Amino acid sequence: MTAPVVTRFAPSPTGRLHPGHGVAALAAYDFAVARGGRFLLRIEDIDGARSRTEHVEAILADLRWLGIVWDEPVVFQSQRLAWYEAALDRLRALGLLYPCFCTRKEIAREIAESMSAPHIGPDGPVYPGTCRALGQAGRDRRIAGEAHCWRLDMAKAVAMAGELHWTDHGRRVRADPLAYGDVVLARKDAPASYHLAVTLDDAAQGITDIVRGEDLFPATHVHRLLQALLDLPLPRYHHHALVRDGNGERLAKRNGAPTLEALRLAGVDGAALAAELRAGRVPLGIFASKA
Ligand code: GLU
């Protein structure tokens, strides 16, 4: 017998949800319901400086309004920091992490001054590896007194993990995380990065199927590698297309899309909006008149 399906929606409470989030939440919820599975909600609030309780409250109200019901209590990443620390220790013991003392400015300068063209990864210019070259003595000298993040030595990690794949909508995809360069796994200002926390939590919550927007498809290369390094189970992935407005732009606050909260408070019927979003329609008329 195959294991029962478990999906999740994992918003970061750094702002209000917009209709694009609604589409992602409904896709994950419907996937579980259609298979008699469970749907979980996880609040990704490791970014203490940008996460706000008021956003969490609005997110929960928006999801309920769209008719989404979650199983089990909501999980908050801010309560799982010890778990992330343990995984970092394990990767450190494997010799795969190094402390990085560079500021954003220093990295930008280094890239600008480099003779070779910068490598552009899925998240922007790739870290040039400056601190990877520091010897142990240099690290020991600086670590106590200087702010630092922890980076994954990507080449070493890829060599250790060997060839990896995942399935996306049932199709086999070869993981190629090298393009990301030495990603940050513990930030200077947060005890874990998105990549580490999301991978660990999906495993801890027993997520069998990750249904999320295709904007996160590239990040899956890194997540697949972390699963291999940390001996975590491999979920199936189902990245879906993003909803776009009439100009082909993603629906986000910055291009004027109203938040779900604004629509809710304006009296829009949540069930009717959910039906439109499920059908891939963005009822722009509602937005213009009510938001
Ligand atoms: N917290 C992430 C975000 O809001 C999504 C995580 C995921 O679905 O993998 O973009």
Side-chain angles (χ1 to χ4, degrees):
M1 223 184 76
T2 48
V5 161
V6 187
T7 67
R8 50 65 166 182
F9 179 55
S12 307
T14 52
R16 299 297 208 255
L17 298 184
H18 57 74
H21 290 115
V23 170
L26 286 164
Y29 175 64
D30 291 349
F31 189 99
V33 170
R35 290 160 184 78
R38 284 181 303 133
F39 168 78
L40 309 184
L41 179 60
R42 180 172 73 236
I43 300 293
E44 303 215 317
D45 58 349
I46 33 173
D47 189 338
R50 292 173 61 224
S51 297
R52 300 236 190 303
T53 314
E54 69 205 58
H55 295 318
V56 175
E57 281 159 13
I59 288 169
L60 301 188
D62 291 343
L63 295 177
R64 284 195 196 101
W65 169 68
L66 289 175
I68 292 176
V69 185
W70 48 94
D71 299 296
E72 303 181 12
V74 180
V75 165
F76 290 84
Q77 287 191 325
S78 55
Q79 290 169 12
R80 298 182 40 74
L81 305 186
W83 177 265
Y84 310 141
E85 195 46 60
L88 289 166
D89 281 346
R90 188 162 161 189
L91 294 171
R92 241 179 245 122
L94 290 170
L96 295 177
L97 299 188
Y98 62 87
C100 171
F101 305 93
C102 297
T103 61
R104 278 174 201 273
K105 243 191 187 153
E106 284 164 350
I107 296 173
R109 194 181 335 114
E110 173 113 3
I111 290 173
E113 285 170 0
S114 155
M115 301 299 280
S116 49
H119 294 291
I120 308 295
D123 278 344
V126 167
Y127 177 63
T130 323
C131 286
R132 192 178 53 233
L134 279 179
Q136 193 58 48
R139 283 176 192 160
D140 291 349
R141 185 166 39 79
R142 297 177 66 177
I143 205 154
E146 283 183 56
H148 55 277
C149 67
W150 288 88
R151 290 183 182 272
L152 182 67
D153 185 330
M154 188 57 88
K156 218 169 167 183
V158 166
M160 187 178 284
E163 189 163 316
L164 300 169
H165 298 88
W166 80 82
T167 63
D168 220 300
H169 294 286
R171 284 207 336 267
R172 197 159 184 257
V173 182
R174 196 171 79 85
D176 183 15
L178 271 179
Y180 270 86
D182 294 352
V183 287
V184 172
L185 293 190
R187 292 166 33 168
K188 276 181 189 169
D189 58 348
S193 70
Y194 158 66
H195 293 308
L196 181 70
V198 81
T199 306
L200 287 169
D201 287 343
D202 284 335
Q205 293 189 278
I207 308 300
T208 60
D209 293 84
I210 295 183
V211 181
R212 62 183 178 189
E214 66 188 4
D215 52 328
L216 291 165
F217 177 92
T220 314
H221 293 280
V222 176
H223 303 172
R224 180 66 194 94
L225 173 63
L226 292 174
Q227 287 155 0
L229 297 173
L230 294 165
D231 293 320
L232 302 174
L234 173 58
R236 295 174 291 261
Y237 288 86
H238 313 266
H239 289 97
H240 59 77
L242 302 179
V243 183
R244 296 182 187 274
D245 66 13
N247 300 322
E249 294 282 331
R250 279 175 64 175
L251 286 182
K253 204 167 157 202
R254 62 181 172 278
N255 30 336
T259 61
L260 289 178
E261 181 188 51
L263 296 170
R264 176 164 55 81
L265 298 180
V268 170
D269 179 335
L273 177 62
E276 291 293 302
L277 295 176
R278 282 188 169 104
R281 282 193 295 270
V282 182
L284 293 168
I286 296 181
F287 297 172
S289 59
K290 296 263 174 92

